[in-house]
Amino acid sequence: MRRVRRPVLPASGRYGPRGPGARGARLTPSDGAPRTAVVVVNWNRADLTTRAVRAILDEGAADQVIVVDNGSSDDSVAVLRRALPDATVIARGTNGGFAAGVNTGIRHADADVVVLLNNDASPAPGFVAALRDHLLRAAPDVAAVTGRIVLAGRWSRLPSDTTPAPGQRVLRDHDGDLWTPSEDGEVRLNSTGVLVDRDGNGKDRDWFAPADRIADRDVFGFSGGASALRRAALDDVGLLDESLFMYYEDTELSWRLRRRGWRVEYAADAVVEHDHSASSGVQSDLFVSRNTRNRLVVALWHAPWSTVVHAAVRTLGRGLRLLAAPGTRREARLVLAALADVAGHLPAHLAHRVRRSRVASVPRSAVDPDA
């Protein structure tokens, strides 16, 4: 499908997008009924993807629903095409990572608004319409709207002196407390947007906060698991960076958007329930390796030097601490290998940092990624 080139929106405020021939206006129905496409990426989990996409199709708010199979090794493509005849199923020959899958879907989308949804998320009724309508009403410099992601199930906090049982599922909140699934527990939030701390860690805003938490509308970045992107903003800054493969792709794109004068807003009424890491797991070798590497890489490309130094020092310290304990040496090797990989490609990363700064229209010091 031919990609339609969208105009870059005008500046709104002191630091606005500076694309060549910048022009445009709010996306409103009077402009000719802006089209909305939803992109969902699948990899060997046709069951999860089918559930998510059926909910989107049942809502009926999307003009296009695109499912990208990211080189699955099972029969996902056949299953998806049989189960989802009203969706477009695109089969990639190889697994290029989450970013490559999403980009494939965006390139096939003929739409002004592109909604991204994780395949392990269950959207509530009205999810797509809430994101779309928020973006239609938003100021012209709003590039993305991020939804309200609620953790699936109920969760209870473990006492601080409790050691999890072997095989027990636990997640850690921003304060270091451990939580485990519990029938008599509480509903908790997964995300109301993305932030970056002084050590370069990308983190979900309101991670494990009470489900009724009221969050600010403005936020640094969007979550790639439940968000809507303005096509004009993507035309201005580009798509997700496929070299990251997976993890930190949304954080990296948020940095590019913010340094070009675009903003991100949060829509509390666009709700999904997320089965956290149902597709990959939070302690897999892939998670540890790619998460560590990409955190350092994105900091090198975009963050202030103080953040880069903090990130490198903390990563080295973590690797050495893990190496000193017999039970965590495998994780230590993964962390230190990721650090070595980034150091080995340092000239290329520094060159990338320079290129990004040259096209930016907003000073790095004017962006607060932790707010």
Side-chain angles (χ1 to χ4, degrees), residues 1 6 32-37 61-64 109-114 132:
M1 182 177 293
R6 310 290 176 185
R35 288 173 56 81
T36 301
D63 299 288
Q64 249 183 320
D110 179 17
D112 306 89
V113 177
V114 179
R132 178 200 63 200

Side-chain angles (χ1 to χ4, degrees), residues 256-328:
R256 275 188 277 143
L257 289 167
R258 298 305 296 266
R259 299 242 15 231
R260 287 284 291 172
W262 298 96
R263 295 190 298 111
V264 177
E265 290 187 348
Y266 161 65
D269 55 345
V271 181
V272 300
E273 184 179 79
H274 184 216
D275 189 2
H276 185 69
S277 295
S279 296
S280 61
V282 296
Q283 290 302 325
S284 66
D285 288 358
L286 176 64
F287 174 84
V288 173
S289 177
R290 300 303 300 192
N291 193 275
T292 302
R293 175 194 177 274
N294 291 351
R295 175 172 55 86
L296 294 168
V297 166
V298 172
L300 265 171
W301 290 355
H302 298 292
W305 283 116
S306 59
T307 297
V308 176
V309 172
H310 277 290
V313 171
R314 290 292 295 271
T315 301
L316 177 61
R318 176 190 172 197
L320 295 177
R321 286 193 303 273
L322 292 169
L323 196 62
T328 56

Side-chain angles (χ1 to χ4, degrees), residues 14-248:
R14 180 179 177 187
Y15 301 116
R18 297 290 185 262
R23 63 189 187 279
R26 294 175 186 265
L27 291 175
T28 62
S30 61
D31 291 338
R35 288 173 56 81
T36 301
V38 179
V39 174
V40 181
V41 177
N42 175 76
W43 185 68
N44 291 333
R45 288 307 302 267
D47 57 333
L48 294 179
T49 303
T50 298
R51 181 188 66 184
V53 174
R54 277 181 176 160
I56 295 299
L57 292 170
D58 288 345
E59 180 184 346
D63 299 288
Q64 249 183 320
V65 179
I66 300 172
V67 180
V68 180
D69 183 78
N70 217 1
S72 291
S73 58
D74 61 10
D75 61 349
S76 283
V77 174
V79 171
L80 292 169
R81 285 177 174 162
R82 184 169 59 250
L84 303 170
D86 295 328
T88 300
V89 178
I90 301 171
R92 287 177 48 87
T94 58
N95 182 4
F98 179 76
V102 167
N103 289 350
T104 297
I106 293 175
R107 292 187 183 104
H108 280 79
D110 179 17
D112 306 89
V113 177
V114 179
V115 173
L116 306 183
L117 177 68
N118 269 1
N119 72 328
D120 55 359
S122 299
F127 166 73
V128 173
L131 287 176
R132 178 200 63 200
D133 293 348
H134 187 117
L135 199 52
L136 296 184
R137 295 190 301 265
D141 64 346
V142 175
V145 177
T146 193
R148 184 181 189 84
I149 307 178
V150 179
L151 282 167
R154 292 179 174 272
W155 298 79
S156 293
R157 188 186 350 239
L158 293 175
S160 57
D161 58 348
T162 300
T163 300
Q168 182 178 9
R169 186 183 181 195
V170 294
L171 294 174
R172 189 182 301 274
D173 65 22
H174 290 325
D175 295 324
D177 293 325
L178 295 178
W179 294 75
T180 191
S182 171
E183 291 184 0
D184 58 352
E186 305 168 6
V187 178
R188 291 277 159 166
L189 287 175
N190 185 151
S191 178
T192 61
V194 171
L195 306 175
V196 180
D197 67 18
R198 65 192 295 267
D199 295 325
N201 295 301
K203 60 183 182 180
D204 289 306
R205 186 177 70 171
D206 293 326
W207 171 248
F208 264 99
D212 58 356
R213 168 71 62 86
I214 298 175
D216 290 340
R217 171 173 291 196
D218 292 316
V219 64
F220 166 73
F222 69 93
S223 169
S227 56
L229 302 174
R230 194 187 294 263
R231 189 62 174 265
L234 296 176
D235 287 341
D236 182 34
V237 306
L239 304 183
L240 296 171
D241 193 298
E242 297 182 15
S243 71
L244 297 175
F245 191 76
M246 64 187 304
Y247 305 121
Y248 279 82

